[in-house]
Amino acid sequence: MRLFYCDHHEIPLPPGHRFPVRKYRLLRELLAAGGLYQLEPAPPASPATIALAHDPGYVRAFLEGSLDPAVMRRIGFPWSQGLVDRTLASTGGTLAAAQDALASGFGGTLAGGTHHAFPAEGAGYCVFNDVAVAVHWSRRHDHARRFAVIDLDVHQGDGTAKFFEHDPDVLTISLHGARNFPFHKQRSSIDVELADGTGDAAYLEALANVLPASRSSSRIWCFISPASMLWPAMRWAGWRSRTRGWPNATAV
């Protein structure tokens, strides 16, 4: 089974920056030691493919480093060529995983899940919305018409919800902390807000209650992020689950 990664592209961050960028390398090293997966560097997504989903002017300004400083502050990273390279690879990893899913029924990437990115701006350490790009790419190439996006991050997938709020062929499901970021929520097709202290049993019951919707609607493709939630016993920020998950991994 093949998984893509992008941590070989370094993001130069100032001392004390709160984003835990080391988690991606640590996860890759842990999986490599297990020997169960074929790990490959993610190919970069092309700007033209990203612009299938995102505003072309926004894409161009980010790549050139000419975004308004206020926009970069909402993203949360200082601009650098390393950030550009890593962002293109992060989106490219999800696209490559989508191609694997077409060939074998499953694809995975250790990055992606950048669900706070909106069509014309980024936020919350998310520049481009990789799942939105993959959905638009899939449609452009007639790979699928109907999709389900199951977002299991502790934060609501607000950008993904906004992308597809008027799209009847994309079912967006988000299980997230009610009191966690973003504090202004968007409207997914199905939102499940969970209280601080939610444990495994309650979490898994909530997930089981919404999963039938992704099947009953005859969805062709299903994007799951973070893919850690496919594994038993999770460690969940603010919740009382018992083991570790994968950081922002995406499965198709």
Side-chain angles (χ1 to χ4, degrees):
M1 186 180 298
R2 184 162 63 165
L3 298 174
F4 295 94
Y5 64 88
C6 66
D7 64 272
H8 56 297
H9 295 294
E10 295 286 340
I11 306 176
L13 297 177
H17 195 281
R18 65 184 300 176
F19 186 74
V21 70
R22 291 177 59 249
K23 63 185 180 180
Y24 296 97
R25 177 181 57 81
L26 293 173
L27 172 62
R28 175 172 58 84
E29 291 174 349
L30 179 65
L31 292 174
L36 295 177
Y37 301 97
Q38 176 185 342
L39 298 168
E40 295 188 12
S46 72
T49 298
I50 294 170
L52 294 175
H54 285 280
D55 176 79
Y58 168 64
V59 176
R60 182 171 58 254
F62 170 72
L63 297 178
E64 295 173 350
S66 60
L67 281 176
D68 187 283
V71 176
M72 289 304 303
R73 284 194 296 272
R74 286 194 293 274
I75 290 172
F77 291 127
W79 187 90
S80 66
Q81 187 58 49
L83 178 63
V84 170
D85 295 341
R86 186 152 177 158
T87 298
L88 294 177
S90 178
T91 305
T94 299
L95 291 168
Q99 294 179 59
D100 277 0
L102 283 169
S104 67
F106 172 85
T109 175
L110 303 186
T114 45
H115 57 179
H116 298 311
F118 287 74
E121 64 177 351
Y125 307 127
C126 302
V127 179
F128 300 137
N129 191 307
D130 61 307
V131 169
V133 172
V135 167
H136 283 79
W137 170 85
S138 302
R139 285 176 164 167
R140 172 61 62 91
H141 295 282
D142 295 323
H143 294 315
R145 183 176 64 86
R146 296 168 65 80
F147 304 84
V149 181
I150 304 174
D151 193 325
L152 307 178
D153 192 273
V154 71
H155 306 127
Q156 191 211 31
D158 55 335
T160 306
K162 189 66 175 179
F163 259 103
F164 300 114
E165 63 178 341
H166 301 303
D167 191 331
D169 289 327
V170 180
L171 177 74
T172 54
I173 299 173
S174 181
L175 276 70
H176 51 266
R179 298 172 56 189
N180 216 311
F181 181 88
F183 302 108
H184 174 69
K185 305 288 196 292
Q186 300 294 325
R187 182 178 295 179
S188 309
S189 306
I190 300 174
D191 282 302
V192 180
E193 296 195 331
L194 299 171
D196 292 351
T198 296
D200 286 357
Y203 175 84
L204 292 173
E205 180 181 3
L207 178 58
N209 287 338
V210 298
L211 283 179
S214 66
R215 298 192 296 266
S216 63
S217 301
S218 299
R219 305 289 155 175
I220 304 301
W221 273 25
C222 182
F223 293 88
I224 304 175
S225 175
S228 57
M229 300 303 106
L230 295 172
W231 274 254
M234 305 145 295
R235 183 178 186 92
W236 203 231
W239 301 350
R240 294 177 183 164
S241 44
R242 290 186 295 275
T243 62
R244 299 181 194 177
W246 293 10
N248 294 37
T250 299
V252 186

